[in-house]
Amino acid sequence: MTNLLNYIRTIDGFPKEGISFKDITTLAKEHAPFKESCDKIIQYFKDKKITKVAAIEARGYVWGGAIAYQLGAGFVLIRKPGKLPAETLKESYELEYGTDTIEMHKDAIEKGDNVLLFDDLLATGGTAKAAVNLIEKAGGDIKGIAFVIELTGSLHGRDKLDGYDVFSLLDIPVEE
Ligand code: AMP
């Protein structure tokens, strides 16, 4: 067992002042902690009859594909606007300044799919909540939401995902 937290690099002031960026590339590039982080999520969701893993561009794809493969599930791409070629469902959400949008192919998830949503990090929860709305619009049944990192404290991201089974590998407190 490794302390996965040791593999997370913090870069203060990226991409702009005031943000303490949690860099997961330093974890992903090492086989043992990468495998361990995938395995823990797979272990938690292995009996939930997951049929689709949906992950959010781009860092979500790194774990999402490996998790889907091991769970015997399909993989669904949730992307930034204008990247998916066929007909999409869209969902917009509030940022600190302005809004952002994510998209998913209309036929990516069907009614009756048991979906695990994955992203690398939970901060305010705006992105994950928008992804939840997309999946549910398509008729998917969300069986869980997983993150490598959950920023805890003042952001209250988990509150936006109230009622869902939220599993995060590492809790990192946010300084006020
Ligand atoms: P949020 O919608 O506020 O929960 O933000 C989550 C999304 O933004 C995830 O896709 C993260 O990759 C990214 N993100 C937000 N805050 C950070 C941070 N401090 N470090 C790294 N990524 C972040």
Side-chain angles (χ1 to χ4, degrees), residues 37-110:
S37 60
C38 290
D39 286 348
K40 283 184 165 157
I41 296 170
I42 291 157
Q43 183 62 26
Y44 187 85
F45 289 101
K46 70 177 174 16
D47 298 324
K48 308 257 160 128
K49 300 186 166 57
I50 303 296
T51 57
K52 296 271 166 63
V53 175
I56 302 167
E57 180 178 5
R59 291 182 293 270
Y61 296 171
V62 179
W63 279 262
I67 293 166
Y69 176 71
Q70 284 294 330
L71 288 177
F75 182 74
V76 171
L77 290 79
I78 296 177
R79 299 207 64 176
K80 310 268 161 63
K83 306 274 189 185
L84 289 168
E87 212 182 331
T88 60
L89 297 170
K90 299 183 204 325
E91 189 72 26
S92 293
Y93 56 100
E94 301 287 325
L95 298 173
E96 204 181 346
Y97 302 103
T99 61
D100 217 338
T101 301
I102 48 173
E103 296 187 347
M104 184 181 78
H105 275 145
K106 232 176 183 162
D107 60 1
I109 285 171
E110 282 149 42

Side-chain angles (χ1 to χ4, degrees), residues 19-22 59 93 119-128 151:
I19 308 261
S20 176
F21 192 87
K22 304 301 171 197
R59 291 182 293 270
Y93 56 100
D119 200 6
D120 65 322
L121 182 142
L122 172 66
T124 66
T127 314
L151 297 183

